[in-house]
């Protein structure tokens, strides 16, 4: 981040982080199967870093647990995300990061759908279309500069 | 006579002549030797001759003067190469013999060398070497330092020399600055100018370190910079910020950090650089390179010692806006913390300014700037910038007392007002957290003697905000409020006694009513710190209330709080322990806890076994204070320990159903007694020791309260029925094994005999284990000598007999005693310990005991919590584990290799227990030898062995030794196979190891990336969520490996 360039949204609203998931007694029991649930998927994406701020997508309220829906039997996941401002130029990048994170973290059987919360972004349709297009996602990840930014969003902060 | 005389004198003359002749001959020989050496060096180009010459000079075979004479021809040769060679020889000899030179010689040599500087350029390097040698001389004549430097500055263009010669010049400067500081200062600014000229353009990191060292000396030791301030700054600051990455393999041993620190010391060494440095910092802060920003900010922070308000004056707005921008916008914690400490530096330098009547206070002006930019963000507690603003203000606030006066007087009222205007808990919590950051003074801003806390003006309103927050329903808010309360309570004069009482009431209420574990912890901490300062309020208001709650009838409570009764009691007990750090509180709180134990025994108030155990944990916490407070020790000695003994004895002897006879409860009472006894002073300890021994050996119950025991009690007899008094041996152990080593245990030999008997014959695990531990604890502390040897001989014989008798029913007992005695001796490096541990190794192949023995190695190598540890003053030598490992690892490996397949797992288990307990440093050095065995253990079907090996491997893999390189293939194969193990724990542990491997250097693990990613895809769909979680985080790291922006 250069000293000269200004952030699009320098002082965004901050939301509380949810704590670590409580480990229930059944979680320790070998014989009980734990199905994938909304919270588990939310835990996968809530810690993704925002490309601009030293904050997670959860703290910026870009992702919320109520906007995550998973159906374990039908192997389907749907995630809606909400850009902080309607003209956010990072929306595609954030969507891509969420998509990549889920692709890396979920078994093959899942169909993953990532899109913008309806009515929260100026070019909602265009972004959704890009995110839904498998080939465009694959092509984007071939681009090493783009992959670099995505990886930075997905790596645990060390600095 | 005459003739005789003449003849003898003639003889003497003759002899003298021969001596002279020999000397002459030798001199001639020496000089021809010297000439030979010179010849070979100069014309023959044999470099080694210089050392021989130097050795000759050192040995006194020839002098430096003779050397110069011998060099005569070469030095006057018409060939510059020959002259250079001559000078080189001289310089190399001087470098070795400079310490034996006389002042006259040095003077002559200097004159010679100065003259040679004007000669051909090929000679210059050798002249510089000569100067370097001479500047190390202690007899350097006055004036020569100046003249050497003048000629170097005048005749040599340093930057056109080679690397080594430039280094030589810097070394000459360093030597002279060390020994001839006054003379050099006489040179005035010429010296600085000469240095600037010679260093201008230097590029080699080694030389730069030297040059920075010279520059630092110049600015620190007060050399006259004259009009060359800017030049000196320019010639050093051109390297700022340092951009240096050491070449591969690091042949120079110089790090980026070395250069940065060295340069920073130069740049911040004098306030005279400030007019150049501060604009430079402002400029570099605009850089895109993060390390440049951090370096700039840290350099700014390093000015704290040298700068005053004058230096900063004209740059304040620029500096502030740069710092603010960095802290507001950065995503990096390093930049943020460097920015905050830079702000702290500026503020504390400004605070040192002396106020005068006609000018503005620079500190006030600057802080107004900071407040103007930051304060309004504090009014938006739900936006991002509230935190960076708060941190900036807190950094300024913590820089000095004066600064904190100004900042708090502006910020605190505004924050308090905001707090009262806001209604949402999350916002209030943020505001209170911000306040918390202001409340604790730093070492710099602490009020001095006679000054009062900066919060005194807001004391009332702060207290009311804290109390109102404590009564809110949000846990987060309450936790923060408790922390603020603890911070305020620690500062003198902030709380009046009604405030303290109110605070205690709030804390009491919170401990009774609030369920949240985080809050309970905060309440405990806060109560603990306040109770230390205000014990009276806690004694009068909190303890009675908690006591009432603990003993309230479960029936009535259950109406009020339904199922939480147990939890409330539990919290009360914990809080009681945390407030008990002063003797006056302990005498009130500990009896309450004792009363719980008593009523549990009587069966009233319905205390469960778990509750009694948590009471014991609290008592143990209180017992830790016996160490530092003698009154508390006395109290435990007089009241608590006898009461506990009495209660347990009564329970064991008289009633069968008392919860106190439960083994879990007894094991919880052990640490109470042991901690208390370990802290007793010698006199009390001896007294307690004789009471305890008397009780167990002779049935003397006189020291116990409520003395209504049967007259003939024998506590150390083995009984067939399980509730026999023999289990009380654990209390005996807690007591007699914990005293300091100088406390004598009376009748120790009789005691040992009885303990041995009990441990070998008792049928109950609890009794014979504690008897063995008690025996071991006493043996460990017993002074070496005949008595100890006799005891050991007897017990060893008995153990051997029992163990050899395969049909005996008491082999397990004998093994347990063997294990603990082995541990006792191993810890103190007793010579017999090897005999015992060898027996243990032999037992590993025992069909009946093998598995127990393998687990026994865990006992042997880990710290036992209740006996034989440093807290109970046991004789524990340092590094006994390493020693044991070094002596025995080969036995294990050998045993493993020679054993049949079915029995191998015992060896592997033993090995993994031993390696697991070794310090990491030793693990790393030993791993190469053990790795094949550990890999073997990973493929051993026993899940316990797998788990134990994985847990031992994982920390090693975080920082792996080189030996791993050749084994990676085998390691990956086995680890990845275990990720699909049927056992959840094995899966988790193996995935963690795979995760750890992703941190290895990229070139080592990149070849495995595809394989790992594929293998980890399976556990992503595991039925257990905990396994999936590990797989997700490990796979994420492996995806980042070798990918741009990853790692």
């Amino acid at each position: 981040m250069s000293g000269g360039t200004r952030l699009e949204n320098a002082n965004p609203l901050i939301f509380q982080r949810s704590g670590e998931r409580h480990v229930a007694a059944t979680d320790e029991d070998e014989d009980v199967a734990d199905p994938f649930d909304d919270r588990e998927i939310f835990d996968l994406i809530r810690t993704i870093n925002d490309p601009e701020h030293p904050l997670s997508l959860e703290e910026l309220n870009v992702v919320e647990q109520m906007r995550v829906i998973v159906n374990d039997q039908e192997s389907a996941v749907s995630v809606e995300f909400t850009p902080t401002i309607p003209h956010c130029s990072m929306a595609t990048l954030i969507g891509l990061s969420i998509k990549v994170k889920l692709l890396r973290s979920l078994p093959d059987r899942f169909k993953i759908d990532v899109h913008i919360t309806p009515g929260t972004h100026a070019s909602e349709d265009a972004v959704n279309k890009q995110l839904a297009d498998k080939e465009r996602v694959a092509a984007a990840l071939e681009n090493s500069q783009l992959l670099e930014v995505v990886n930075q969003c997905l790596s645990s902060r060390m600095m | 006579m005459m003739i005789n005389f003449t003849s003898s004198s003639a003889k003497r003359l003759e002899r003298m002549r021969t001596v002279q002749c020999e000397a002459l001959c030798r001199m001639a020989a020496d000089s021809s030797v010297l000439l030979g050496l010179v010849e070979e060096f100069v014309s023959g180009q044999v470099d080694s001759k210089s050392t021989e010459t130097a050795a000759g000079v050192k040995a006194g075979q020839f002098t430096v003067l003779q050397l110069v004479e011998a060099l005569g021809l070469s030095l006057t040769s018409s060939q510059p190469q020959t002259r250079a060679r001559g000078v080189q020889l001289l310089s190399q000899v001087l470098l070795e013999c400079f310490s034996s030179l006389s002042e006259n010689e040095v003077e002559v040599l200097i004159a010679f060398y100065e003259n040679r500087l004007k000669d051909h350029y090929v000679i210059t390097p050798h002249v510089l070497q000569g100067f370097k040698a001479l500047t190390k001389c202690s007899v350097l004549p006055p004036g020569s330092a100046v003249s050497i430097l003048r000629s170097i500055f005048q005749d040599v263009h340093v930057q056109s020399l080679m690397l080594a010669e430039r280094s030589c010049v810097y070394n000459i400067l360093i030597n002279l600055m060390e020994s001839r500081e006054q003379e050099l200062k006489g040179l005035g600014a010429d010296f600085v100018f000469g240095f600037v000229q010679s260093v201008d353009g230097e590029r080699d990191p080694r030389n730069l370190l030297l040059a920075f060292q010279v520059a630092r000396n110049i600015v620190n030791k007060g050399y006259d910079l004259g009009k060359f301030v800017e030049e000196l700054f320019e010639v050093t600051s051109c390297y700022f910020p340092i951009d240096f990455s050491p070449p591969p393999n690091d042949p120079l041993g110089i790090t980026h950090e070395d250069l940065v620190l060295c340069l920073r010391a130069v740049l911040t060494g004098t306030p005279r650089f400030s007019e150049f440095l501060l604009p430079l910092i402002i400029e570099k802060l605009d850089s895109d390179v993060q390390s440049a920003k951090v370096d700039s900010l840290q350099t700014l922070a390093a000015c704290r010692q040298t700068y005053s308000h004058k230096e900063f004056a004209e740059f304040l707005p620029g500096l502030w806006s740069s710092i603010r921008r960095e802290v507001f916008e950065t995503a990096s914690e390093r930049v943020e913390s460097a920015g905050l400490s830079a702000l702290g530096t500026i503020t504390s330098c400004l605070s040192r300014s002396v106020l005068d009547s006609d000018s503005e206070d620079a500190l006030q002006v600057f802080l107004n700037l900071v407040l103007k930019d930051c304060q309004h963000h504090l009014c938006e507690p739900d936006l991002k910038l509230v935190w960076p603003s708060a941190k900036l203000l807190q950094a300024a606030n913590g820089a000095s007392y004066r600064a904190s006066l100004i900042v708090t007087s502006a910020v605190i009222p505004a924050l308090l007002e905001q707090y009262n205007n806001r209604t949402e808990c999350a916002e209030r919590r943020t505001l209170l957290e911000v306040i918390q950051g202001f409340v604790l003074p730093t070492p710099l801003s602490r009020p001095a003697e006679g000054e009062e806390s900066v919060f005194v003006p807001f004391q009332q309103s702060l207290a009311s905000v804290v109390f109102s927050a404590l009564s809110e329903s949000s846990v987060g808010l309450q936790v923060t409020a408790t922390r603020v309360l603890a911070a305020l309570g620690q500062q003198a004069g902030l709380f009046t006694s009604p405030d303290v009482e109110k605070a205690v009431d709030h804390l009491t209420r919170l401990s009774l009513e609030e369920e949240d574990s985080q809050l309970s912890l905060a309440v405990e901490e806060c109560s603990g710190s306040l109770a230390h300062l205000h014990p009276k309020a806690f004694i009068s208001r909190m303890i009675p209330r908690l006591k009432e709650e603990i003993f309230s009838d479960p029936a009535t409570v259950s109406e009020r709080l339904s199922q939480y009764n147990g939890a409330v009691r539990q919290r009360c007990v914990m809080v009681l322990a945390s407030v008990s750090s002063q003797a006056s509180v302990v005498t009130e709180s500990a009896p309450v806890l004792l009363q719980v134990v008593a009523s549990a025994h009587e069966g009233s108030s319905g205390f469960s076994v778990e509750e009694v155990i948590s009471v014991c944990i609290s008592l143990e916490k209180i017992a830790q204070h016996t160490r530092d407070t003698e009154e508390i020790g006395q109290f435990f000695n007089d009241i608590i320990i006898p009461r506990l003994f009495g209660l347990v004895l009564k329970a064991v002897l008289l009633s069968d159903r008392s919860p106190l006879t439960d083994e879990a409860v007894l094991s919880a009472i052990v640490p109470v007694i042991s901690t208390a006894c370990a802290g007793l002073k010698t006199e009390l300890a001896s007294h307690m020791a004789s009471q305890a021994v008397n009780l167990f050996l002779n049935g003397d119950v006189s020291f116990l309260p409520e003395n209504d025991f049967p007259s003939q009690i024998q506590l150390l007899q083995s009984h067939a029925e399980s509730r026999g008094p023999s289990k009380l041996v654990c209390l005996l152990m807690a007591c007699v094994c914990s005293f300091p080593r100088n406390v004598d245990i009376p009748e120790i030999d009789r005691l040992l005999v009885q303990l041995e008997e009990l441990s070998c014959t008792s049928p109950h695990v609890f009794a014979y284990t504690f008897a063995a531990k008690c025996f071991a604890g006493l043996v460990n502390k017993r002074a070496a000598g005949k008595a100890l040897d006799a005891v050991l001989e007897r017990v060893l014989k008995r153990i051997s007999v029992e163990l050899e008798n395969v049909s005996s029913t008491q082999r397990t007992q004998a093994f347990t005693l063997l294990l603990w005695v082995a541990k006792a001796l191993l810890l103190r490096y007793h010579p017999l310990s090897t005999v015992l541990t060898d027996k243990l190794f032999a037992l590993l192949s025992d069909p009946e005991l093998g598995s127990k023995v393998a687990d026994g190695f865990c006992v042997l190598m880990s710290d036992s919590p209740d006996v034989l540890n440093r807290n109970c003053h046991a004789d524990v030598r340092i590094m006994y584990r390493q020693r044991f490992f070094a002596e025995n690892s080969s036995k294990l490996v050998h045993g493993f290799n020679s054993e049949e397949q079915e029995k191998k797992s015992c060896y592997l288990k033993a090995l993994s227990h031993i390696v697991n307990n070794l310090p990491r440093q030793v693990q790393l050095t030993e791993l190469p030898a053990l790795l094949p065995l550990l890999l073997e253990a990973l493929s051993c079907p026993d899940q316990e062995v797998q788990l134990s090996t994985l847990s031992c491997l994982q920390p090693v893999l975080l920082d792996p030794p080189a030996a791993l390189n050749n084994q990676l293939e085998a390691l990956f194969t086995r680890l990845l196979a275990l990720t699909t193990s049927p056992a959840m724990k094995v899966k988790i542990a193996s995935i963690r190891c795979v995760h750890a491997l992703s941190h290895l250097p990229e070139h080592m693990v990149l070849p495995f990336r595809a394989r790992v990613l594929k293998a980890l895809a399976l556990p992503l769909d595991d039925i257990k969520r905990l396994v999936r979680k590990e797989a997700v985080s490990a796979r994420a790291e492996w995806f980042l490996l070798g990918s741009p922006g990853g790692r």
Side-chain angles (χ1 to χ4, degrees), chain B residues 82 232 263 311 322 341 386 449 467-469 510 634 764 776 802 953 987 1019 1040 1042:
Chain B
T82 314
L232 184 60
L263 177 60
E311 281 73 35
S322 297
S341 84
V386 66
E449 202 79 16
F467 290 142
S468 94
L510 289 175
Q634 186 81 46
H764 308 303
E802 294 287 353
L953 266 178
K987 277 189 269 197
L1040 292 179

Side-chain angles (χ1 to χ4, degrees), chain A residues 1-7 10-16 20-21 23 26-37 40 44 52-55 101 103-107 109-110 144 147-148 151-152 154-157 159, chain B residues 285-288 290 293 325-326 328-334 377 380-386 426 429-430 982-985 987 1009 1017 1020-1026 1028-1029 1032 1035-1037 1039-1040 1043-1047:
Chain A
M1 217 181 312
S2 152
T5 58
R6 300 292 308 177
L7 301 176
N11 195 8
L13 266 169
I14 309 281
F15 293 78
Q16 284 235 316
E20 285 290 302
R21 183 183 186 132
V23 177
T26 53
D27 288 345
E28 313 271 5
D29 186 346
E30 299 251 9
D31 302 324
V32 181
D34 312 321
F36 281 90
D37 59 13
E40 184 172 350
L44 293 175
E52 286 189 319
H53 295 286
L55 296 165
K101 174 75 187 183
L103 284 171
R104 289 177 182 179
S105 313
L106 288 176
R109 63 184 170 94
F110 277 96
S144 71
L147 183 60
E148 183 176 345
N151 276 336
Q152 273 161 2
L154 296 187
S155 55
S156 40
R157 288 218 184 261
M159 288 178 289
Chain B
L285 274 174
D286 280 336
S287 153
D288 279 336
Q290 185 178 313
K293 288 186 191 209
R325 187 191 64 218
E326 292 313 316
F328 273 8
E329 291 184 7
T330 186
S332 146
E333 271 174 39
R334 280 184 68 209
H377 289 302
E380 303 158 335
D382 47 358
L383 295 186
K384 176 200 165 194
L385 287 181
V386 66
R429 180 186 180 178
T430 307
M984 174 166 95
K985 280 185 179 161
K987 277 189 269 197
R1009 184 174 184 259
L1020 285 184
D1021 211 1
D1022 198 89
I1023 61 161
K1024 295 309 297 174
R1025 189 171 293 125
L1026 292 176
R1028 298 201 291 260
K1029 199 174 150 207
V1032 164
R1035 199 160 187 256
E1037 283 303 310
F1039 260 110
L1040 292 179
S1043 181
R1047 195 176 62 79

Side-chain angles (χ1 to χ4, degrees), chain B residues 438-545:
Chain B
F438 285 101
V439 167
L440 257 195
T442 66
L444 290 173
S445 67
R446 194 159 289 152
E449 202 79 16
E451 294 171 333
E452 60 182 8
S453 163
V454 293
F455 295 100
V456 168
F458 322 109
Q459 178 246 335
Q460 278 305 322
S461 37
L462 260 175
S464 76
V465 160
V466 169
F467 290 142
S468 94
L470 286 172
S471 348
E472 293 277 351
S473 58
S474 147
V475 169
L477 190 52
Q478 286 171 314
V479 169
T480 314
T482 339
R483 294 201 180 120
V484 178
L485 181 62
L488 288 173
Q490 276 159 25
Q491 296 173 55
L494 281 192
F495 270 165
T496 56
S497 61
D499 282 336
V500 173
E501 286 174 5
K502 215 168 165 190
V504 174
D505 289 346
H506 271 290
L507 290 169
T508 312
R509 182 182 55 77
L510 289 175
S511 17
L512 294 180
E513 291 172 9
E514 292 300 332
E515 317 286 322
D516 185 85
S517 62
Q518 215 195 343
L519 179 57
S520 309
L521 204 68
V523 168
E524 268 177 57
E525 273 171 20
C526 178
S527 308
S529 75
L530 289 184
H532 200 73
L533 302 169
H534 312 281
K536 279 197 191 120
F538 282 84
I539 293 171
S540 64
R541 305 184 81 90
M542 185 185 243
I543 294 180
R545 189 68 196 85

Side-chain angles (χ1 to χ4, degrees), chain B residues 739-932:
Chain B
F739 295 122
R741 255 178 277 167
N742 57 4
V743 174
D744 280 325
I745 309 294
E747 296 193 74
I748 184 165
D749 285 307
R750 224 178 103 207
L751 194 59
L752 284 171
V753 170
Q754 295 220 10
L755 284 169
E756 179 191 320
E757 182 62 28
L758 180 62
S759 72
C760 285
T761 56
S762 170
H764 308 303
V765 184
F766 190 83
Y768 71 68
T769 311
F770 272 100
K773 282 174 160 184
C774 188
F775 187 89
L778 292 172
V779 161
N780 174 266
K781 286 188 202 173
R782 187 113 199 244
K786 284 212 179 93
L788 178 63
D789 293 343
V791 169
L792 288 175
E793 194 184 331
R794 197 184 64 227
V795 75
L796 268 183
K797 208 166 157 198
R798 178 153 190 186
I799 290 172
S800 306
V801 170
E802 294 287 353
L803 284 174
E804 273 158 30
N805 180 3
V806 184
S807 60
S808 164
T809 51
Q810 291 170 349
R811 291 185 81 217
T812 314
Q813 281 89 327
F815 154 69
T816 310
L817 184 58
L818 170 67
L819 177 65
W820 284 98
V821 176
K823 176 160 175 129
L825 298 185
L826 176 67
L827 292 182
R828 62 183 272 186
Y829 285 3
H830 192 279
L832 268 181
S833 68
T834 357
V835 178
L836 293 166
T837 49
D838 281 352
K839 263 191 203 307
L840 287 174
F841 281 116
L843 281 177
L844 270 176
S845 52
D846 187 289
E848 190 189 339
L849 292 174
S851 168
K852 274 189 190 141
V853 179
D855 286 333
F857 279 92
C858 185
V859 170
L860 209 55
M861 297 309 282
S862 59
D863 282 327
S864 142
D866 47 8
V867 71
L868 291 175
N869 56 45
R870 290 205 167 84
N871 290 336
C872 355
H873 308 281
D875 186 355
V876 182
R877 300 297 176 86
I878 52 164
M879 306 210 282
Y880 76 91
R881 294 186 180 91
Q882 286 91 313
R883 194 173 125 139
F884 177 76
F885 179 80
E887 285 171 1
N888 293 301
S889 63
S890 59
K891 289 179 199 162
L892 261 182
V893 176
H894 181 74
F896 172 82
N897 288 331
S898 57
E899 200 54 64
E900 309 150 40
Q901 198 57 45
E902 316 79 86
K903 291 183 183 164
K904 283 190 181 213
S905 71
C906 283
Y907 285 89
L908 290 175
K909 209 197 272 182
L911 177 76
S912 63
H913 281 312
I914 296 175
V915 178
N916 239 336
N917 284 297
L918 284 178
R920 248 184 70 65
Q921 220 40 51
V922 187
Q923 284 183 343
L924 287 182
T925 51
E926 296 301 336
L927 199 77
L930 293 176
L931 209 53

